[in-house]
PDB file of all heavy atoms in Angstrom:
ATOM      1  N   VAL A 758      23.911 -25.725 -43.245  1.00 85.00           N
ATOM      2  CA  VAL A 758      24.411 -26.972 -42.716  1.00 85.00           C
ATOM      3  C   VAL A 758      25.804 -26.709 -42.036  1.00 85.00           C
ATOM      4  O   VAL A 758      26.463 -25.860 -42.353  1.00 85.00           O
ATOM      5  CB  VAL A 758      24.545 -28.003 -43.939  1.00 85.00           C
ATOM      6  CG1 VAL A 758      23.252 -28.250 -44.509  1.00 85.00           C
ATOM      7  CG2 VAL A 758      25.557 -27.379 -44.980  1.00 85.00           C
ATOM      8  N   PRO A 759      26.081 -27.690 -41.101  1.00 90.00           N
ATOM      9  CA  PRO A 759      27.247 -27.508 -40.308  1.00 90.00           C
ATOM     10  C   PRO A 759      28.532 -27.411 -41.186  1.00 90.00           C
ATOM     11  O   PRO A 759      29.573 -26.624 -40.799  1.00 90.00           O
ATOM     12  CB  PRO A 759      27.368 -28.735 -39.415  1.00 90.00           C
ATOM     13  CG  PRO A 759      25.799 -29.007 -39.225  1.00 90.00           C
ATOM     14  CD  PRO A 759      25.233 -28.737 -40.470  1.00 90.00           C
ATOM     15  N   ASN A 760      28.678 -28.084 -42.323  1.00 90.00           N
ATOM     16  CA  ASN A 760      29.885 -28.001 -43.145  1.00 90.00           C
ATOM     17  C   ASN A 760      30.204 -26.655 -43.457  1.00 90.00           C
ATOM     18  O   ASN A 760      31.424 -26.242 -43.766  1.00 90.00           O
ATOM     19  CB  ASN A 760      29.698 -28.884 -44.497  1.00 90.00           C
ATOM     20  CG  ASN A 760      29.765 -30.403 -44.111  1.00 90.00           C
ATOM     21  OD1 ASN A 760      29.906 -30.764 -43.006  1.00 90.00           O
ATOM     22  ND2 ASN A 760      29.691 -31.125 -45.095  1.00 90.00           N
ATOM     23  N   GLU A 761      29.227 -25.716 -43.744  1.00 91.00           N
ATOM     24  CA  GLU A 761      29.475 -24.392 -44.088  1.00 91.00           C
ATOM     25  C   GLU A 761      30.379 -23.683 -43.048  1.00 91.00           C
ATOM     26  O   GLU A 761      31.212 -22.729 -43.439  1.00 91.00           O
ATOM     27  CB  GLU A 761      28.204 -23.593 -44.181  1.00 91.00           C
ATOM     28  CG  GLU A 761      28.305 -22.065 -44.763  1.00 91.00           C
ATOM     29  CD  GLU A 761      26.988 -21.430 -44.852  1.00 91.00           C
ATOM     30  OE1 GLU A 761      26.336 -21.830 -45.911  1.00 91.00           O
ATOM     31  OE2 GLU A 761      26.649 -20.562 -44.091  1.00 91.00           O
ATOM     32  N   LYS A 762      30.352 -24.035 -41.846  1.00 94.00           N
ATOM     33  CA  LYS A 762      31.195 -23.466 -40.818  1.00 94.00           C
ATOM     34  C   LYS A 762      32.679 -23.820 -40.948  1.00 94.00           C
ATOM     35  O   LYS A 762      33.353 -23.074 -40.318  1.00 94.00           O
ATOM     36  CB  LYS A 762      30.558 -23.777 -39.435  1.00 94.00           C
ATOM     37  CG  LYS A 762      29.225 -23.265 -39.191  1.00 94.00           C
ATOM     38  CD  LYS A 762      28.546 -23.790 -37.975  1.00 94.00           C
ATOM     39  CE  LYS A 762      27.352 -23.137 -37.680  1.00 94.00           C
ATOM     40  NZ  LYS A 762      26.338 -23.214 -38.738  1.00 94.00           N
ATOM     41  N   ILE A 763      32.996 -24.736 -41.677  1.00 94.00           N
ATOM     42  CA  ILE A 763      34.399 -25.079 -41.980  1.00 94.00           C
ATOM     43  C   ILE A 763      35.055 -23.918 -42.747  1.00 94.00           C
ATOM     44  O   ILE A 763      36.168 -23.597 -42.448  1.00 94.00           O
ATOM     45  CB  ILE A 763      34.516 -26.468 -42.670  1.00 94.00           C
ATOM     46  CG1 ILE A 763      34.029 -27.655 -41.827  1.00 94.00           C
ATOM     47  CG2 ILE A 763      35.909 -26.729 -43.098  1.00 94.00           C
ATOM     48  CD1 ILE A 763      33.914 -28.944 -42.628  1.00 94.00           C
ATOM     49  N   THR A 764      34.281 -23.490 -43.708  1.00 95.00           N
ATOM     50  CA  THR A 764      34.732 -22.447 -44.626  1.00 95.00           C
ATOM     51  C   THR A 764      35.035 -21.133 -43.849  1.00 95.00           C
ATOM     52  O   THR A 764      35.708 -20.195 -44.279  1.00 95.00           O
ATOM     53  CB  THR A 764      33.891 -22.125 -45.668  1.00 95.00           C
ATOM     54  OG1 THR A 764      32.712 -21.445 -45.301  1.00 95.00           O
ATOM     55  CG2 THR A 764      33.442 -23.501 -46.447  1.00 95.00           C
ATOM     56  N   TRP A 765      34.401 -20.978 -42.641  1.00 94.00           N
ATOM     57  CA  TRP A 765      34.553 -19.639 -41.825  1.00 94.00           C
ATOM     58  C   TRP A 765      35.496 -19.801 -40.727  1.00 94.00           C
ATOM     59  O   TRP A 765      35.763 -18.874 -39.959  1.00 94.00           O
ATOM     60  CB  TRP A 765      33.180 -19.374 -41.228  1.00 94.00           C
ATOM     61  CG  TRP A 765      32.275 -18.721 -42.316  1.00 94.00           C
ATOM     62  CD1 TRP A 765      31.328 -19.574 -43.030  1.00 94.00           C
ATOM     63  CD2 TRP A 765      32.058 -17.398 -42.607  1.00 94.00           C
ATOM     64  NE1 TRP A 765      30.756 -18.616 -43.866  1.00 94.00           N
ATOM     65  CE2 TRP A 765      31.077 -17.315 -43.690  1.00 94.00           C
ATOM     66  CE3 TRP A 765      32.718 -16.216 -42.282  1.00 94.00           C
ATOM     67  CZ2 TRP A 765      30.594 -16.153 -44.248  1.00 94.00           C
ATOM     68  CZ3 TRP A 765      32.254 -14.984 -42.915  1.00 94.00           C
ATOM     69  CH2 TRP A 765      31.307 -14.970 -43.906  1.00 94.00           C
ATOM     70  N   GLY A 766      36.197 -21.009 -40.686  1.00 95.00           N
ATOM     71  CA  GLY A 766      37.207 -21.220 -39.615  1.00 95.00           C
ATOM     72  C   GLY A 766      36.599 -21.421 -38.293  1.00 95.00           C
ATOM     73  O   GLY A 766      37.380 -21.167 -37.235  1.00 95.00           O
ATOM     74  N   LYS A 767      35.410 -22.123 -38.214  1.00 96.00           N
ATOM     75  CA  LYS A 767      34.827 -22.257 -36.838  1.00 96.00           C
ATOM     76  C   LYS A 767      34.837 -23.782 -36.504  1.00 96.00           C
ATOM     77  O   LYS A 767      35.228 -24.143 -35.381  1.00 96.00           O
ATOM     78  CB  LYS A 767      33.382 -22.011 -37.022  1.00 96.00           C
ATOM     79  CG  LYS A 767      33.120 -20.425 -37.347  1.00 96.00           C
ATOM     80  CD  LYS A 767      31.723 -20.128 -37.678  1.00 96.00           C
ATOM     81  CE  LYS A 767      31.382 -18.680 -38.099  1.00 96.00           C
ATOM     82  NZ  LYS A 767      30.087 -18.444 -38.476  1.00 96.00           N
ATOM     83  N   LEU A 768      34.832 -24.659 -37.553  1.00 96.00           N
ATOM     84  CA  LEU A 768      34.930 -26.100 -37.309  1.00 96.00           C
ATOM     85  C   LEU A 768      35.920 -26.694 -38.187  1.00 96.00           C
ATOM     86  O   LEU A 768      36.213 -26.058 -39.257  1.00 96.00           O
ATOM     87  CB  LEU A 768      33.512 -26.797 -37.691  1.00 96.00           C
ATOM     88  CG  LEU A 768      32.357 -26.335 -36.854  1.00 96.00           C
ATOM     89  CD1 LEU A 768      31.109 -27.095 -37.381  1.00 96.00           C
ATOM     90  CD2 LEU A 768      32.447 -26.345 -35.387  1.00 96.00           C
ATOM     91  N   ASP A 769      36.560 -27.841 -37.708  1.00 96.00           N
ATOM     92  CA  ASP A 769      37.548 -28.453 -38.605  1.00 96.00           C
ATOM     93  C   ASP A 769      36.879 -29.532 -39.366  1.00 96.00           C
ATOM     94  O   ASP A 769      35.818 -29.955 -39.201  1.00 96.00           O
ATOM     95  CB  ASP A 769      38.685 -29.024 -37.646  1.00 96.00           C
ATOM     96  CG  ASP A 769      39.974 -29.073 -38.451  1.00 96.00           C
ATOM     97  OD1 ASP A 769      40.006 -28.958 -39.768  1.00 96.00           O
ATOM     98  OD2 ASP A 769      41.049 -29.041 -37.790  1.00 96.00           O
ATOM     99  N   VAL A 770      37.708 -30.180 -40.323  1.00 97.00           N
ATOM    100  CA  VAL A 770      37.246 -31.214 -41.250  1.00 97.00           C
ATOM    101  C   VAL A 770      36.663 -32.497 -40.327  1.00 97.00           C
ATOM    102  O   VAL A 770      35.792 -33.133 -40.703  1.00 97.00           O
ATOM    103  CB  VAL A 770      38.287 -31.669 -42.183  1.00 97.00           C
ATOM    104  CG1 VAL A 770      37.918 -32.940 -43.048  1.00 97.00           C
ATOM    105  CG2 VAL A 770      38.597 -30.516 -43.081  1.00 97.00           C
ATOM    106  N   ASP A 771      37.472 -32.740 -39.181  1.00 96.00           N
ATOM    107  CA  ASP A 771      37.181 -33.919 -38.483  1.00 96.00           C
ATOM    108  C   ASP A 771      36.304 -33.595 -37.222  1.00 96.00           C
ATOM    109  O   ASP A 771      36.207 -34.457 -36.329  1.00 96.00           O
ATOM    110  CB  ASP A 771      38.441 -34.556 -38.144  1.00 96.00           C
ATOM    111  CG  ASP A 771      39.475 -33.761 -37.389  1.00 96.00           C
ATOM    112  OD1 ASP A 771      39.175 -32.570 -37.092  1.00 96.00           O
ATOM    113  OD2 ASP A 771      40.494 -34.291 -36.956  1.00 96.00           O
ATOM    114  N   THR A 772      35.910 -32.337 -37.023  1.00 97.00           N
ATOM    115  CA  THR A 772      34.949 -32.005 -35.894  1.00 97.00           C
ATOM    116  C   THR A 772      33.703 -32.844 -35.984  1.00 97.00           C
ATOM    117  O   THR A 772      33.032 -32.858 -37.038  1.00 97.00           O
ATOM    118  CB  THR A 772      34.603 -30.541 -35.976  1.00 97.00           C
ATOM    119  OG1 THR A 772      35.876 -29.786 -35.902  1.00 97.00           O
ATOM    120  CG2 THR A 772      33.771 -30.160 -34.710  1.00 97.00           C
ATOM    121  N   PRO A 773      33.361 -33.578 -34.925  1.00 97.00           N
ATOM    122  CA  PRO A 773      32.116 -34.248 -34.823  1.00 97.00           C
ATOM    123  C   PRO A 773      30.963 -33.282 -35.040  1.00 97.00           C
ATOM    124  O   PRO A 773      30.920 -32.212 -34.232  1.00 97.00           O
ATOM    125  CB  PRO A 773      32.095 -35.020 -33.474  1.00 97.00           C
ATOM    126  CG  PRO A 773      33.512 -35.078 -33.137  1.00 97.00           C
ATOM    127  CD  PRO A 773      34.218 -33.842 -33.669  1.00 97.00           C
ATOM    128  N   ARG A 774      30.102 -33.368 -35.912  1.00 97.00           N
ATOM    129  CA  ARG A 774      29.125 -32.350 -36.218  1.00 97.00           C
ATOM    130  C   ARG A 774      27.715 -32.943 -36.576  1.00 97.00           C
ATOM    131  O   ARG A 774      27.706 -33.983 -37.302  1.00 97.00           O
ATOM    132  CB  ARG A 774      29.526 -31.365 -37.285  1.00 97.00           C
ATOM    133  CG  ARG A 774      29.944 -31.920 -38.524  1.00 97.00           C
ATOM    134  CD  ARG A 774      30.723 -30.800 -39.443  1.00 97.00           C
ATOM    135  NE  ARG A 774      31.117 -31.402 -40.736  1.00 97.00           N
ATOM    136  CZ  ARG A 774      32.345 -31.997 -40.966  1.00 97.00           C
ATOM    137  NH1 ARG A 774      33.176 -32.119 -39.817  1.00 97.00           N
ATOM    138  NH2 ARG A 774      32.749 -32.472 -42.014  1.00 97.00           N
ATOM    139  N   PHE A 775      26.725 -32.386 -36.049  1.00 97.00           N
ATOM    140  CA  PHE A 775      25.395 -32.988 -36.165  1.00 97.00           C
ATOM    141  C   PHE A 775      24.284 -31.897 -36.288  1.00 97.00           C
ATOM    142  O   PHE A 775      24.490 -30.812 -35.842  1.00 97.00           O
ATOM    143  CB  PHE A 775      25.026 -33.900 -34.898  1.00 97.00           C
ATOM    144  CG  PHE A 775      26.157 -34.854 -34.502  1.00 97.00           C
ATOM    145  CD1 PHE A 775      27.066 -34.419 -33.627  1.00 97.00           C
ATOM    146  CD2 PHE A 775      26.034 -36.062 -35.137  1.00 97.00           C
ATOM    147  CE1 PHE A 775      28.090 -35.406 -33.309  1.00 97.00           C
ATOM    148  CE2 PHE A 775      27.090 -37.009 -34.717  1.00 97.00           C
ATOM    149  CZ  PHE A 775      28.138 -36.665 -33.954  1.00 97.00           C
ATOM    150  N   ILE A 776      23.374 -32.217 -37.079  1.00 95.00           N
ATOM    151  CA  ILE A 776      22.189 -31.279 -37.143  1.00 95.00           C
ATOM    152  C   ILE A 776      20.849 -32.186 -36.980  1.00 95.00           C
ATOM    153  O   ILE A 776      20.789 -33.260 -37.575  1.00 95.00           O
ATOM    154  CB  ILE A 776      22.070 -30.466 -38.417  1.00 95.00           C
ATOM    155  CG1 ILE A 776      20.967 -29.533 -38.338  1.00 95.00           C
ATOM    156  CG2 ILE A 776      21.989 -31.419 -39.663  1.00 95.00           C
ATOM    157  CD1 ILE A 776      20.916 -28.441 -39.342  1.00 95.00           C
ATOM    158  N   VAL A 777      20.053 -31.839 -36.050  1.00 96.00           N
ATOM    159  CA  VAL A 777      18.771 -32.598 -35.827  1.00 96.00           C
ATOM    160  C   VAL A 777      17.734 -31.597 -36.257  1.00 96.00           C
ATOM    161  O   VAL A 777      17.346 -30.601 -35.472  1.00 96.00           O
ATOM    162  CB  VAL A 777      18.571 -32.994 -34.410  1.00 96.00           C
ATOM    163  CG1 VAL A 777      17.370 -33.867 -34.153  1.00 96.00           C
ATOM    164  CG2 VAL A 777      19.811 -33.737 -33.889  1.00 96.00           C
ATOM    165  N   GLU A 778      17.042 -31.978 -37.287  1.00 93.00           N
ATOM    166  CA  GLU A 778      16.060 -31.040 -37.899  1.00 93.00           C
ATOM    167  C   GLU A 778      14.609 -31.274 -37.313  1.00 93.00           C
ATOM    168  O   GLU A 778      13.915 -32.055 -37.833  1.00 93.00           O
ATOM    169  CB  GLU A 778      16.010 -31.087 -39.416  1.00 93.00           C
ATOM    170  CG  GLU A 778      17.408 -30.798 -40.107  1.00 93.00           C
ATOM    171  CD  GLU A 778      17.377 -30.947 -41.605  1.00 93.00           C
ATOM    172  OE1 GLU A 778      17.185 -32.106 -42.005  1.00 93.00           O
ATOM    173  OE2 GLU A 778      17.604 -29.992 -42.321  1.00 93.00           O
ATOM    174  N   SER A 779      14.401 -30.754 -36.232  1.00 94.00           N
ATOM    175  CA  SER A 779      13.132 -30.996 -35.448  1.00 94.00           C
ATOM    176  C   SER A 779      12.940 -29.867 -34.490  1.00 94.00           C
ATOM    177  O   SER A 779      13.725 -28.939 -34.360  1.00 94.00           O
ATOM    178  CB  SER A 779      13.276 -32.328 -34.716  1.00 94.00           C
ATOM    179  OG  SER A 779      12.070 -32.586 -34.198  1.00 94.00           O
ATOM    180  N   ASP A 780      11.830 -29.923 -33.681  1.00 95.00           N
ATOM    181  CA  ASP A 780      11.494 -28.984 -32.651  1.00 95.00           C
ATOM    182  C   ASP A 780      12.440 -29.099 -31.448  1.00 95.00           C
ATOM    183  O   ASP A 780      12.435 -30.246 -30.830  1.00 95.00           O
ATOM    184  CB  ASP A 780      10.100 -29.156 -32.285  1.00 95.00           C
ATOM    185  CG  ASP A 780       9.574 -28.168 -31.312  1.00 95.00           C
ATOM    186  OD1 ASP A 780      10.330 -27.628 -30.635  1.00 95.00           O
ATOM    187  OD2 ASP A 780       8.331 -28.031 -31.379  1.00 95.00           O
ATOM    188  N   ALA A 781      13.128 -28.090 -31.041  1.00 96.00           N
ATOM    189  CA  ALA A 781      14.097 -28.128 -29.878  1.00 96.00           C
ATOM    190  C   ALA A 781      13.353 -28.525 -28.550  1.00 96.00           C
ATOM    191  O   ALA A 781      13.910 -29.099 -27.759  1.00 96.00           O
ATOM    192  CB  ALA A 781      14.875 -26.905 -29.727  1.00 96.00           C
ATOM    193  N   THR A 782      12.079 -28.045 -28.460  1.00 97.00           N
ATOM    194  CA  THR A 782      11.365 -28.390 -27.257  1.00 97.00           C
ATOM    195  C   THR A 782      11.181 -29.887 -27.072  1.00 97.00           C
ATOM    196  O   THR A 782      10.838 -30.297 -25.972  1.00 97.00           O
ATOM    197  CB  THR A 782       9.980 -27.560 -27.175  1.00 97.00           C
ATOM    198  OG1 THR A 782       9.043 -28.124 -28.200  1.00 97.00           O
ATOM    199  CG2 THR A 782      10.229 -26.093 -27.177  1.00 97.00           C
ATOM    200  N   ILE A 783      11.117 -30.622 -28.160  1.00 97.00           N
ATOM    201  CA  ILE A 783      11.061 -32.021 -28.104  1.00 97.00           C
ATOM    202  C   ILE A 783      12.380 -32.817 -28.096  1.00 97.00           C
ATOM    203  O   ILE A 783      12.683 -33.625 -27.267  1.00 97.00           O
ATOM    204  CB  ILE A 783      10.340 -32.694 -29.460  1.00 97.00           C
ATOM    205  CG1 ILE A 783       8.885 -31.993 -29.495  1.00 97.00           C
ATOM    206  CG2 ILE A 783      10.245 -34.112 -29.342  1.00 97.00           C
ATOM    207  CD1 ILE A 783       8.184 -32.345 -30.766  1.00 97.00           C
ATOM    208  N   VAL A 784      13.393 -32.218 -28.892  1.00 98.00           N
ATOM    209  CA  VAL A 784      14.715 -32.844 -29.036  1.00 98.00           C
ATOM    210  C   VAL A 784      15.607 -32.630 -27.823  1.00 98.00           C
ATOM    211  O   VAL A 784      16.175 -33.593 -27.212  1.00 98.00           O
ATOM    212  CB  VAL A 784      15.437 -32.368 -30.344  1.00 98.00           C
ATOM    213  CG1 VAL A 784      16.814 -32.918 -30.303  1.00 98.00           C
ATOM    214  CG2 VAL A 784      14.650 -32.899 -31.512  1.00 98.00           C
TER     215      VAL A 784
END
């Protein structure tokens, strides 16, 4: 999940973050 990336210093607490769990060829 995107939140895990906060612990690696990639994203911040207030970074807009989204995950769409679907087929990329559709989404």
Side-chain angles (χ1 to χ4, degrees):
V758 296
N760 283 4
E761 184 176 287
K762 293 170 176 57
I763 296 173
T764 74
W765 288 88
K767 301 168 183 175
L768 306 179
D769 210 341
V770 173
D771 57 355
T772 303
R774 51 192 181 275
F775 309 90
I776 184 164
V777 186
E778 297 177 303
S779 187
D780 184 334
T782 64
I783 299 170
V784 172

